[in-house]
Amino acid sequence: MKFIVIGITDQPNPWFPPEVMEIIRKGKIFSGGKRHHEIIAPLLPQDAQWIDITVPLDAVFEQYFSLFTFHPSLPIIVFASGDPLFFGFANTIRRKMLEAEIVVCPNFNSLQMLAHRLVMPYHDMRIVSLTGRPWPEFDKALIERVGKIGVLTDKEHTPAAIAQRMIDYGYTNYQMHVGEHLGNPSLEKVTTLTLDEATKHDFTMPNCLILESRENLCHPCLRKFGIPDSDFTLLDGREKMITKMPIRLLTLQALELPRKHVFWDIGFCTGSVSIEARLQFPHLQIEAFEIRPECETIIQENTRKFGAPGIDIHIGDFLETDISTLPRPDAVFIGGHGGHLQEIMAKVLTVLAPDGVIVFNSVTSPVVSKMTDRPGSRQLWDEACAALHLSQEPPLQIQLNDYNPIEILKAYYHPDK
């Protein structure tokens, strides 16, 4: 099985070097998108067979397999945009047909062409594809204050939508360069504008963009390591309804987040733990749960205030929430339990990844209050860990000023032990 993947641009009269033209002249079976077919049709042999690349791709690869069954010696010549190895179709072939031989004849990709038009060095540019992909990698680049970001767009993640997201979360120190129909002499257009201007502009497809910081904000130290408690919007202004900053940072350390992938914050209240985790470890997928509906507005306000996009919010009783479709966590913080700690932990264990960690902060009070079960939190934790066969780490006790001491409790899930 052999594929020859040829990169093309939107140039309506494409030029290829002689060796590529020879491949096309001798070809029998060709494939590509409908737009690629329109561009390349005049160069194809009269008896050429064409396979449209459309979704679902499984149907396209079924046709490829069928052709190789009857014509094993004939290569399939595929036309793809720009550099086929740059978020391109050659990668899809490698993934779906592991045994296939692949030859690539690349062209410039769209972001390279946009940088060329701008006479902009691009060796230091972070590339993010939003073509058929969600926001996380883009959000990560923003949180890390990357100075130059190249973005591949689609009909949902348009320049206007991207600009609005950046404004919503306070990343306004960028200007946007947008390239439309790059490579097509009659339609190509390059525009440089502010984010506010971009939200009001309707760009034609296909397009791509480069975000360029107008300030030197690339150094990671410019991100706060520990957000002051007073900066958060609080629940009814109650200072006690937030995990204090030193406790918050120790909690994140206990969760081992640098090497985790999916973090669940159960009982987020103001969102302080989720937000701190998002800013310090932007690679994480974060799912935040809270029973009080009024906290949804509070966490949304705080995520925008501190520039922490990408936290998925779930409002309602955790014990009644459908978690079957959510990404499987390998780190869980339980910030509130309403007297149902063991039930919450048991539900978490139905999805927690092997060797996952659960962290819980217990307040140790010298006076047993009749209004709260917090003085019994350590006992509830110990009982739950014993019942659920969790392996506990030695607790860490800390006291801040006049507040009651807090124990940071940690347990591992080892299902095979």
Side-chain angles (χ1 to χ4, degrees), residues 357-401:
V357 62
I358 302 175
V359 171
F360 173 70
N361 294 341
S362 172
V363 179
T364 305
S365 174
V367 180
V368 178
S369 170
K370 296 181 181 179
M371 301 300 294
T372 178
D373 65 352
R374 278 185 176 173
S377 292
R378 174 62 190 274
Q379 181 179 348
L380 291 174
W381 168 264
D382 289 339
E383 291 173 352
C385 288
L388 300 171
H389 308 290
L390 296 176
S391 173
Q392 291 198 61
E393 288 280 290
L396 172 65
Q397 188 175 88
I398 183 171
Q399 182 169 3
L400 300 177
N401 302 325

Side-chain angles (χ1 to χ4, degrees), residues 179-207:
E180 303 168 79
H181 297 280
L182 294 169
N184 188 322
S186 60
L187 297 176
E188 179 176 297
K189 185 178 180 182
V190 175
T191 310
T192 296
L193 63 176
T194 66
L195 296 183
D196 187 60
E197 290 169 339
T199 63
K200 303 176 179 66
H201 203 293
D202 186 19
F203 294 96
T204 58
M205 295 290 292
N207 61 60

Side-chain angles (χ1 to χ4, degrees), residues 204-271:
T204 58
M205 295 290 292
N207 61 60
C208 65
L209 60 92
I210 295 176
L211 295 164
E212 186 178 22
S213 174
R214 295 179 294 183
E215 304 171 35
N216 183 21
L217 293 180
C218 303
H219 199 286
C221 289
L222 291 173
R223 284 182 282 158
K224 287 183 177 179
F225 183 70
I227 304 169
D229 301 333
S230 58
D231 288 356
F232 284 93
T233 297
L234 303 175
L235 176 62
D236 299 327
R238 294 153 64 187
E239 294 182 4
K240 291 185 177 182
M241 298 300 289
I242 185 173
T243 302
K244 299 295 183 289
M245 190 244 286
I247 307 298
R248 196 185 314 139
L249 297 180
L250 286 170
T251 298
L252 298 186
Q253 183 275 332
L255 286 160
E256 305 172 7
L257 295 182
R259 61 187 185 90
K260 301 298 184 182
H261 303 285
V262 181
F263 169 49
W264 284 16
D265 179 8
I266 301 174
F268 64 72
C269 193
T270 63

Side-chain angles (χ1 to χ4, degrees), residues 163-188:
Q164 189 61 59
R165 188 174 184 84
M166 296 174 72
I167 291 170
D168 288 345
Y169 289 95
Y171 294 96
T172 56
N173 58 298
Y174 288 85
Q175 64 179 352
M176 180 181 286
H177 309 283
V178 182
E180 303 168 79
H181 297 280
L182 294 169
N184 188 322
S186 60
L187 297 176
E188 179 176 297

